[in-house]
């Protein structure tokens, strides 16, 4: 009887396990192996750490990573600062019907592909674009200004793309915040800012952390937005991986970069959790 | 004596609904004042206006003579103990208590001294490092009160803080709260729907119904001399009859709908023929009296509701009108069994009638 | 229960037969398989055509990932075949007996055969050719007639090019090198690339953006945001049709000439259909239709009669005899260079 139950369990689990193994574990193992392969001087394949060494010895590679990580952190911070009041409004102040409407409004941009969204921004911001047209007509500027292809625009694009992933976890933790805690703090002579700092943010910590992890990873792993909106001045680390695979045909180097991205980003998140004294298990629950 | 709180002609409406309707009262310094009423009577709205979470539609609230109109909650010299206490779960006991003092920018040495002192005062010395979820219900209660008292408010507001406790603890906390209030001398304004809480603790009670104060007075006065049928029904237990006034002398003579004739006190001078409600406390009914008066009648015992000193008989008149009768536990009436027919009598002064 | 099994079996059978219907999977560039020609081909042969659009680099990466499977026909540029084939073995030799040689311009067929030779076999036949050069708005940049216009401060903020290897080569020419001569000398080529990188980094404030999408570039030129760009000739001609001031211009140093080919992946399933498509596309009327549509000349011998007059006018205007003779055709790229170029391109993009 019991073994029959076990068998059924395994039968049900089999597709999931197979899927995990075939589509996630094996390709990653293949990439991992590939990252340790290289060519000897005469062009024969050999095992080597050279691909990893390249990352640390070539300033352009690690600088690109540092820049990417830094901008991903900035994006995460900006997203948080913007998402906090939005989610507070939706979770606490809006009437139930407005709340549904606002949530749909937030979701709406995600019904089109990222490419379309980014092109939408480009139409607005380009030199002959909508914003410039309006500003010129209003006489605020006299020469069209190129608003694309700079870091501010790129971060704005990244924030726009990741907003939802911060707002949703924040709304769900804020809904669990008892209004009377806020009132109690208010009653105990706390200013609005003190309430935010001492009550709301500590309560929302798990949501903030999970939102921040998702946004950070999304920004770090983004390819389209930095490439199209950042333009000529921004090499994103993912783009460098793509270039290694596609333009330089150096799959070994690309695989090594991929794993470095995985390891380094995990390290950054781990550090972030340590600094804010949290555990991943708490965040996930 | 100075008043800590003066409320004048206070009105609060939500659309067509009037939650608080022209309420005026004063709370003298150092007293324990309760607002008693059924849920939905407007007492919480009234309290939130005093605390500053809600603005009155009209009327004024003054604390120690200062008008509070437009003053936000964090600037008012009142503190509120919330119904579910609203202790901050992300902080320990000491941090909860120190919260308000920190917001005032007090020195940390001073804060910790005050925190220690107030914890001792509420009998929780050494509890400062405990997490909130490590405390029992009664301890949480005391922390919530300490958190407010440490702010040294002019008035402490309490919004049914005993509601979440179990019965035994509630009984105990009633006494403790009363003692605590006497000890610290702060003015307490206590909101409850439980008449026994109000009666036990308060110096004065306001009975509130449909947004209005029906009667304000000391507990005994409310109990023995209710001014309205609502107060008579709501404060303490009461038996009620409907009847008609037949004759008026020093008392009134009333014929109930089932034909019984009684002499009772009347709230006002009602002419003969007025339809009235007659109220009679269970403890006013004497079992098997010696002698006979107009107010003597017979009932059938249905059940014995044994509750120690508070034991009662549930009886019915021949026309099936239910009456509760106090059953003194002095063994005198141990023989009474369900189904017995017993004689009851009561003094004309203990029955009170209101125009229906 | 039995019914369900039967139904499942039936479904499997239906899917299997559907999959067996003959298809031809082409990995190609956008525009290289016009819808009308696909329909015509399907009508003539009954073979279904599935086209996937890509570019040189992705084509190679895709075939490399599957070791030459998944497609029956690919269309890489001729200079990107031999080194890739040597290293990754993703194509199979072309059986020239199955190619209708009469349809091709003989010199071009021979050149591609020669350039894609690895060992004893050749791996491609020519399909079409074109050039990279300058697309110029002559009202706003009348003087732009050579590669160094891309570095000219007077067009500041109005310049655009791709950040890809052709640009490195163009700038190499602008700096007075002949990059193609340096192909065989990796050290000298590296030295040139360093110089090119330095130049391009210094020129960053001048360039508006590095374009990645052809349609987006055309839009920028149409709106006047860009007045000098490095682009393909057909793009310039498309713009010329809308605005006569804009046109393709072959640089004095010579336009960069490319030939896109047909090559058959090593694990192609439907090789016969691939040959049928090659011969079909090279028929004068089909090649002519393609040229008219895409403004790209083909290696088809007699297609000219089927090309519309305005498209022919483009060729005649842009390519007089001496310009044609001056085209610098891409020689096959030695394997080592691409890694080197990749690093240089990253460096340029990353620097401020």
């Amino acid at each position: 009887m019991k073994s029959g139950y076990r068998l059924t369990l395994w039968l049900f689990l089999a597709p999931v396990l197979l899927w995990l193994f075939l589509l996630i574990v094996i390709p990653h193992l293949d990439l991992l192996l590939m990252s340790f392969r290289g060519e000897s001087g005469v062009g024969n394949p050999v095992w080597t750490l050279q691909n990893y060494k390249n990352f640390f010895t070539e300033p352009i590679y690690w600088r690109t990573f540092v820049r990417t990580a830094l901008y991903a952190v900035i994006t995460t911070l900006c997203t948080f600062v913007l998402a906090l009041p939005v989610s507070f409004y939706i979770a606490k102040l809006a009437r139930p019907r407005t709340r549904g409407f606002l949530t749909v409004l937030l979701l709406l941009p995600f019904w089109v592909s990222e490419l379309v969204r980014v092109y939408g921004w480009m139409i607005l911001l380009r030199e002959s674009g909508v914003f410039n047209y309006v500003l010129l007509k209003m006489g605020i500027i006299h020469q069209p200004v190129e608003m694309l292809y700079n870091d501010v625009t790129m971060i704005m694009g990244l924030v726009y793309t990741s907003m939802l992933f911060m707002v949703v976890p924040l709304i769900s933790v804020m809904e669990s915040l008892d209004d009377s805690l806020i009132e109690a703090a208010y009653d105990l002579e706390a200013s609005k800012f003190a309430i935010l700092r001492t009550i709301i943010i500590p309560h929302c910590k798990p949501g903030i952390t999970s939102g921040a992890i998702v946004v950070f990873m999304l920004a770090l792993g983004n390819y389209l937005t930095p490439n199209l909106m950042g333009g000529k001045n921004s090499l994103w680390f993912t783009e460098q991986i793509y270039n290694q695979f596609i333009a330089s045909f150096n799959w070994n180097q690309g695989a090594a970069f991929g794993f470095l991205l995985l390891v380094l980003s995990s390290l950054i998140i781990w550090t972030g959790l340590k600094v804010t004294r949290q555990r991943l298990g708490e965040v996930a629950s | 004596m100075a008043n800590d709180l003066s409320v004048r002609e206070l009105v609060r409406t939500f659309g067509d609904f009037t939650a608080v309707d022209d309420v005026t009262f004063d709370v003298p310094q150092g007293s324990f004042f309760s607002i008693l009423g059924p849920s939905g009577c407007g007492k919480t709205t009234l309290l939130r206006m005093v605390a500053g979470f809600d603005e009155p539609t009209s009327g004024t609230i003054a604390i120690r003579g200062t008008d509070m109109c437009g003053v936000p909650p964090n600037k008012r010299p009142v503190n509120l103990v919330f119904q579910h206490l609203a202790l901050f779960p992300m902080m320990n006991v000491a941090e909860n208590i120190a919260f308000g003092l920190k917001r005032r920018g007090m020195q940390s040495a001073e804060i910790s001294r005050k925190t220690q002192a107030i914890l001792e005062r509420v009998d929780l010395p050494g509890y400062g490092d405990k997490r909130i979820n490590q405390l029992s219900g009664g301890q949480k209660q005391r922390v919530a009160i300490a958190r407010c008292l440490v702010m040294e408010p002019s008035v402490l507001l309490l919004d049914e803080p005993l509601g979440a406790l179990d019965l035994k603890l509630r009984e105990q906390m009633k006494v403790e709260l009363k003692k605590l209030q006497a000890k610290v001398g702060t003015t307490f304004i206590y909101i409850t729907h439980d008449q026994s809480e109000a009666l036990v603790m308060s110096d004065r009670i306001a009975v509130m119904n449909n947004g209005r104060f029906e009667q304000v007075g000391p507990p005994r006065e409310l109990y023995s001399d209710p001014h309205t049928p609502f107060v008579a029904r709501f404060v303490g237990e009461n038996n009620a009859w409907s009847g008609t006034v037949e004759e008026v002398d020093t008392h009134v003579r009333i014929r109930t709908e089932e034909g019984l004739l009684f002499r009772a006190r009347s709230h006002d001078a009602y002419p003969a023929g007025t339809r009235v409600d007659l109220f009679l406390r269970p403890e006013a009914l004497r079992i098997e009296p010696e002698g006979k008066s107009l107010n003597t009648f017979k009932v059938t015992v249905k059940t014995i509701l044994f509750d120690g000193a508070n034991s009662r008989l549930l009886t019915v008149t021949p026309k099936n009108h239910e009456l509760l009768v106090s059953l003194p536990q002095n063994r005198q009436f141990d023989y009474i069994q369900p189904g017995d027919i017993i004689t009851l009598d009561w003094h004309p002064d203990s029955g009170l009638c209101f125009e229906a | 229960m039995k019914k369900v099994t039967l139904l499942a079996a039936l479904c499997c059978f239906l899917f299997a037969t559907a999959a067996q219907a003959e298809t031809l999977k082409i990995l190609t560039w956008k525009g290289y398989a016009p819808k009308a020609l696909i329909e015509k081909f399907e009508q003539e042969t009954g073979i279904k055509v599935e086209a996937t659009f890509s570019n040189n680099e992705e084509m190679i990466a895709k075939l490399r990932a599957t070791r030459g499977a998944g497609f029956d026909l690919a269309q890489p540029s001729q200079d990107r075949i031999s080194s890739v084939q040597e290293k990754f073995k993703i194509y199979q030799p072309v059986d020239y007996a199955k190619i209708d040689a009469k349809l091709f311009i003989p010199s071009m067929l021979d050149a591609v055969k020669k350039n894609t030779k690895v060992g004893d076999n050749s791996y491609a036949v020519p399909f079409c050719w074109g050039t990279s050069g300058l697309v110029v708005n002559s009202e706003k940049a009348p003087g732009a007639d050579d590669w160094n216009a891309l570095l000219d401060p007077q067009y500041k903020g109005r310049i655009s090019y791709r950040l890809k290897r052709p640009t490195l080569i163009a700038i190499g020419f602008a700096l007075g090198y002949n990059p193609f001569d340096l192909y065989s000398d990796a050290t000298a080529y590296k030295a040139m690339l360093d110089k090119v990188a330095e130049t391009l980094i210094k020129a960053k404030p001048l360039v508006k953006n590095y374009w990645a999408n052809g349609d987006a570039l055309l839009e920028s030129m149409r709106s006047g945001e860009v007045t000098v760009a490095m682009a393909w000739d057909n793009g310039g001609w498309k713009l010329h049709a809308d605005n006569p001031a804009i046109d393709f211009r072959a640089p004095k140093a010579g336009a960069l000439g490319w030939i896109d080919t047909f090559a058959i992946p090593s694990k192609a399933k439907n090789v016969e259909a691939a040959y049928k498509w090659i011969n079909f596309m090279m028929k004068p009327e089909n090649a002519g239709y393609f040229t008219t549509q895409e403004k790209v000349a083909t290696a088809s011998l007699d297609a000219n009669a089927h090309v519309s007059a305005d498209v022919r006018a483009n060729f005649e205007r842009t390519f007089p005899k001496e310009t044609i003779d001056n085209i610098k055709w891409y020689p096959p790229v030695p394997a080592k260079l691409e890694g080197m170029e990749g690093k240089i391109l990253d460096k340029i993009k990353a620097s401020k």
Side-chain angles (χ1 to χ4, degrees):
Chain A
M1 186 63 205
K2 195 160 185 200
S3 70
Y5 170 75
R6 288 278 291 273
L7 189 69
T8 326
L9 185 73
W10 279 111
L11 270 174
F12 274 112
L13 280 178
V16 181
L17 292 176
L18 268 178
W19 184 76
L20 278 173
F21 189 72
L22 290 177
L23 289 171
I24 297 181
V25 179
I26 290 189
H28 273 84
L29 280 179
D30 191 33
L31 275 178
L32 187 66
L33 290 180
M34 199 185 282
S35 73
F36 288 109
R37 302 287 286 177
E39 280 180 4
S40 67
V42 287
N44 293 323
V46 286
W47 295 101
T48 174
L49 286 171
Q50 190 59 42
N51 297 320
Y52 288 92
K53 228 164 104 188
N54 284 344
F55 175 81
F56 295 101
T57 50
E58 282 281 349
I60 170 177
Y61 294 148
W62 64 259
R63 273 194 205 143
T64 304
F65 180 82
V66 169
R67 197 184 111 91
T68 308
L70 203 70
Y71 276 59
V73 170
I74 294 175
T75 303
T76 312
L77 287 176
C78 293
T79 313
F80 170 65
V81 169
L82 273 176
L84 197 67
V86 172
S87 22
F88 188 78
Y89 183 80
I90 293 178
K92 291 288 173 202
L93 303 178
R95 290 147 192 258
R97 202 182 300 167
T98 333
R99 187 181 304 177
F101 174 71
L102 288 173
T103 318
V104 169
L105 217 60
L106 269 171
L107 272 169
L108 216 56
F110 290 82
W111 290 355
V112 299
S113 81
E114 190 185 358
L115 192 65
V116 176
R117 263 178 281 148
V118 171
Y119 272 116
W121 275 113
M122 292 178 77
I123 289 169
L124 289 179
L125 295 175
R126 62 187 300 169
E127 202 179 335
S128 56
V130 178
F131 281 7
N132 267 306
Y133 179 79
V134 172
L135 290 176
L136 278 172
K137 280 276 161 198
M138 286 165 64
I140 294 170
I141 52 172
H142 302 289
Q143 276 284 308
V145 180
E146 180 59 271
M147 301 183 200
L148 282 172
Y149 316 126
N150 59 56
D151 291 346
V152 177
T153 309
M154 181 183 75
I155 285 183
M156 189 208 66
L158 284 170
V159 168
Y160 174 74
T161 312
S162 12
M163 194 71 178
L164 183 76
F165 301 94
M166 186 67 93
V167 169
V168 167
L170 278 185
I171 289 179
S172 79
V173 282
M174 274 187 191
E175 274 173 349
S176 72
L177 174 64
D178 187 353
D179 289 355
S180 67
L181 289 188
I182 297 172
E183 286 186 343
Y186 199 21
D187 185 61
L188 291 165
E189 304 189 8
S191 63
K192 294 207 165 94
F193 178 72
I195 294 172
L196 184 72
R197 193 170 54 82
T198 54
I199 308 294
I200 298 177
I201 289 183
H203 175 87
C204 295
K205 222 158 140 190
I208 294 170
T209 313
S210 58
I213 290 177
V214 173
V215 170
F216 176 74
M217 292 305 272
L218 277 178
L220 200 65
N222 202 320
Y223 177 81
L224 277 172
T225 309
N227 204 0
L228 291 176
M229 293 180 81
K232 60 179 179 175
N233 289 322
S234 74
L235 186 59
W236 212 245
F237 197 66
T238 46
E239 201 181 336
Q240 205 157 47
I241 297 175
Y242 174 89
N243 286 346
Q244 287 300 333
F245 273 98
I246 303 298
S248 304
F249 305 129
N250 194 343
W251 287 20
N252 304 323
Q253 188 66 66
F257 282 176
F259 272 92
L260 281 165
L261 180 65
L262 189 71
V263 171
L264 291 175
S265 55
S266 309
L267 206 69
I268 292 172
I269 288 171
W270 181 81
T271 318
L273 287 175
K274 279 279 146 193
V275 168
T276 54
R277 278 183 247 115
Q278 295 190 78
R279 275 192 305 243
L280 200 59
E282 289 169 15
V283 175
S285 64
Chain B
M1 199 154 74
N3 289 324
D4 266 350
L5 177 67
S6 301
V7 172
R8 292 285 171 275
E9 290 153 14
L10 199 67
V11 175
R12 178 69 172 107
T13 55
F14 299 99
D16 290 340
F17 176 70
T18 306
V20 175
D21 187 2
D22 191 20
V23 167
T24 295
F25 65 101
D26 291 307
V27 180
Q29 201 162 49
S31 65
F32 196 125
F33 185 86
S34 290
I35 299 170
L36 173 65
S39 52
C41 72
K43 58 188 190 297
T44 300
T45 307
L46 174 57
L47 192 76
R48 289 176 63 81
M49 285 192 284
V50 176
F53 293 118
D54 203 354
E55 283 294 317
T57 309
S58 67
T60 59
I61 297 169
I63 295 169
R64 294 218 169 140
T66 313
D67 185 17
M68 285 293 128
C69 177
V71 178
N74 57 350
K75 299 276 192 299
R76 290 195 185 195
V78 296
N79 287 107
L80 173 59
V81 178
F82 283 77
Q83 188 164 12
H84 299 289
L85 307 181
L87 294 172
F88 305 131
M90 58 289 257
M91 303 175 199
N92 66 21
V93 171
E95 286 166 340
N96 261 283
I97 293 174
F99 184 88
L101 298 178
K102 262 192 199 158
R103 304 283 86 77
R104 279 187 187 163
M106 197 177 271
Q107 293 289 315
S108 63
E110 178 77 356
I111 289 176
S112 80
R113 196 184 57 71
K114 286 205 174 218
T115 306
Q116 295 303 327
I118 200 81
L119 274 174
E120 265 166 47
R121 183 154 268 194
V122 297
D123 294 323
L124 290 171
Y127 274 68
D129 291 334
K130 293 229 189 248
R131 311 289 317 171
I132 296 305
N133 55 19
Q134 289 174 303
L135 302 179
S136 70
Q139 289 167 338
K140 281 184 192 163
Q141 196 77 56
R142 281 180 277 169
V143 171
I145 292 167
R147 185 175 73 174
C148 291
L149 283 180
V150 81
M151 303 295 286
E152 291 164 4
S154 303
V155 176
L156 181 68
L157 307 171
L158 300 102
D159 185 7
E160 306 203 32
L162 304 187
L165 302 182
D166 60 59
L167 183 71
K168 185 99 183 169
L169 197 56
R170 198 153 62 206
E171 292 300 319
Q172 200 182 321
M173 282 305 294
K174 273 188 219 168
V175 183
E176 276 192 39
L177 261 180
K178 175 81 181 162
K179 284 200 305 202
L180 184 70
Q181 195 266 337
K183 196 156 71 174
V184 297
T186 307
T187 306
F188 277 35
I189 296 180
Y190 189 96
I191 289 254
T192 184
H193 66 274
D194 182 322
Q195 42 99 7
S196 113
E197 284 176 18
L199 292 175
V200 169
M201 293 189 283
S202 316
D203 297 320
R204 281 164 71 79
I205 300 174
V207 179
M208 196 171 180
N209 186 33
N210 290 330
R212 289 175 161 276
F213 276 5
E214 297 257 340
Q215 186 174 355
V216 184
R220 176 184 293 278
E221 184 187 301
L222 292 182
Y223 192 80
S224 58
D225 189 19
H227 290 178
T228 66
F230 177 81
V231 176
R233 266 182 235 270
F234 197 74
V235 179
E237 260 179 310
N238 245 331
N239 294 305
W241 272 295
S242 298
T244 317
V245 175
E246 287 207 331
E247 208 183 313
V248 185
D249 48 45
T250 54
H251 289 85
V252 284
R253 203 185 283 246
I254 296 159
R255 181 158 312 268
T256 66
E257 278 170 351
E258 53 189 311
L260 294 168
L261 197 63
F262 294 126
R263 260 161 69 86
R265 228 159 24 105
S266 109
H267 178 66
D268 212 341
Y270 304 123
T274 312
R275 293 198 47 80
V276 291
D277 285 326
L278 170 63
F279 293 98
L280 192 58
R281 301 257 177 224
E283 67 269 22
L285 287 159
R286 291 188 303 251
I287 303 168
E288 301 295 348
E290 293 161 20
K292 204 168 156 20
S293 74
L294 185 64
N295 289 351
T296 308
F297 62 108
K298 282 191 186 302
V299 290
T300 311
V301 176
K302 232 172 131 185
T303 343
I304 301 167
L305 306 168
F306 183 79
D307 187 13
N310 194 25
S311 296
R312 284 155 305 166
L313 294 173
L314 180 62
T315 64
V316 286
T317 60
K319 290 273 171 67
N320 238 1
H321 184 81
E322 284 190 349
L323 286 176
L324 281 170
V325 181
S326 282
L327 183 63
Q329 289 301 303
N330 50 14
R331 317 220 60 159
Q332 191 191 346
F333 301 111
D334 285 4
Y335 64 89
I336 296 177
Q337 297 293 325
D340 290 356
I341 294 174
I342 55 170
T343 310
L344 297 177
D345 182 39
W346 51 279
H347 190 275
D349 280 348
S350 51
L352 181 62
C353 63
F354 292 94
E355 185 171 5
Chain C
M1 191 63 207
K2 232 176 184 172
K3 260 186 191 164
V4 176
T5 328
L6 207 70
L7 201 70
L10 200 70
C11 284
C12 287
F13 181 72
L14 281 174
F15 270 111
T17 46
Q20 268 165 12
E22 206 177 349
T23 56
L24 171 67
K25 290 183 178 166
I26 307 180
L27 182 57
T28 187
W29 301 74
K30 197 157 170 276
Y32 278 22
K35 203 159 168 260
L37 293 183
I38 288 181
E39 277 165 10
K40 194 173 165 196
F41 181 74
E42 285 178 354
Q43 230 161 32
E44 282 179 17
T45 61
I47 301 170
K48 227 172 111 15
V49 177
E50 286 173 21
T52 306
F53 303 126
S54 185
N55 59 41
N56 265 325
E57 289 85 3
E58 283 182 5
M59 243 180 247
I60 296 163
K62 273 197 176 116
L63 291 174
R64 190 181 156 193
T66 58
R67 300 190 173 83
F71 294 97
D72 302 311
L73 190 60
Q75 299 211 261
S77 297
Q78 54 120 6
D79 57 318
R80 306 296 282 273
I81 295 176
S82 57
S83 68
V84 168
Q85 174 59 19
E86 228 168 280
K87 212 163 168 189
F88 307 126
K89 314 230 173 341
I90 54 176
Y91 301 115
Q92 53 178 279
V94 173
D95 182 354
Y96 288 89
K98 290 185 176 157
I99 301 284
D100 192 350
K102 305 191 295 295
L103 297 174
F104 289 84
I105 300 169
S107 63
M108 214 176 266
L109 185 57
D110 289 341
V112 168
K113 252 190 207 173
K114 195 184 109 222
N115 282 342
T116 61
K117 195 157 183 155
V118 177
D120 295 333
N121 296 311
S122 288
Y123 286 85
V125 292
F127 169 54
C128 63
W129 65 274
T131 63
S132 294
L134 298 169
V135 175
V136 175
N137 186 330
S138 53
E139 274 171 10
K140 289 172 179 157
D145 59 358
D146 204 354
W147 292 121
N148 57 22
L150 297 173
L151 308 168
D152 194 334
Q154 64 170 309
Y155 309 128
K156 183 170 191 243
R158 297 281 171 259
I159 300 167
S160 184
Y161 38 82
R162 292 199 299 167
L163 202 57
K164 286 271 156 72
R165 64 181 308 271
T167 309
L168 299 179
I169 287 165
I171 300 301
F173 276 113
L175 294 175
Y177 295 92
N178 184 339
F180 297 150
D181 287 349
L182 303 178
Y183 264 20
S184 50
D185 181 352
T187 331
Y189 193 72
K190 178 75 174 52
M192 179 204 79
L193 285 181
D194 286 339
K195 197 91 181 81
V196 167
E198 194 189 309
T199 312
L200 283 176
I201 290 168
K202 224 165 61 202
K204 268 203 164 186
L206 306 180
V207 66
K208 181 173 192 70
N209 64 352
Y210 300 132
W211 64 268
N213 174 314
D215 292 336
L217 174 76
L218 298 191
E219 181 51 40
S220 305
M221 293 220 61
R222 223 170 261 137
S223 69
E225 284 182 28
V226 170
T227 53
V228 181
M230 177 174 172
W232 291 299
D233 43 22
N234 62 335
W237 295 332
K238 276 180 195 161
L239 289 169
H240 186 74
D242 306 337
N243 179 355
I246 305 174
D247 201 358
F248 179 81
R249 211 177 271 181
K252 277 189 192 151
L256 300 175
W258 48 263
I259 300 174
D260 284 344
T261 67
F262 292 110
I264 301 175
S266 57
K267 290 181 186 159
K269 284 217 183 88
N270 202 345
V271 177
E272 287 313 309
Y275 284 114
K276 273 185 203 162
W277 175 259
I278 297 173
N279 289 327
F280 169 81
M281 282 302 286
M282 297 315 288
K283 278 188 191 152
E285 64 273 25
N286 297 339
Y289 175 82
F290 166 76
T291 303
T292 306
Q293 283 294 302
E294 293 300 317
K295 305 182 171 53
V296 177
T298 64
S300 171
L301 187 56
D302 297 319
N304 233 5
H306 300 274
V307 175
S308 71
D310 57 319
V311 175
R312 259 183 307 187
N314 282 332
F315 282 99
E316 281 152 20
R317 186 179 71 248
T318 307
F319 292 120
K321 177 87 173 65
E322 64 276 16
T323 311
I324 288 263
D325 291 343
N326 194 26
I327 290 176
K328 302 287 187 287
W329 297 95
Y330 285 104
V333 187
K336 279 255 156 56
L337 299 189
E338 286 174 319
M340 222 190 274
E341 288 162 352
K343 207 175 265 181
I344 291 289
L345 291 172
D346 277 354
K347 187 175 160 192
I348 296 167
K349 178 109 197 250
S351 65
K352 284 269 172 190

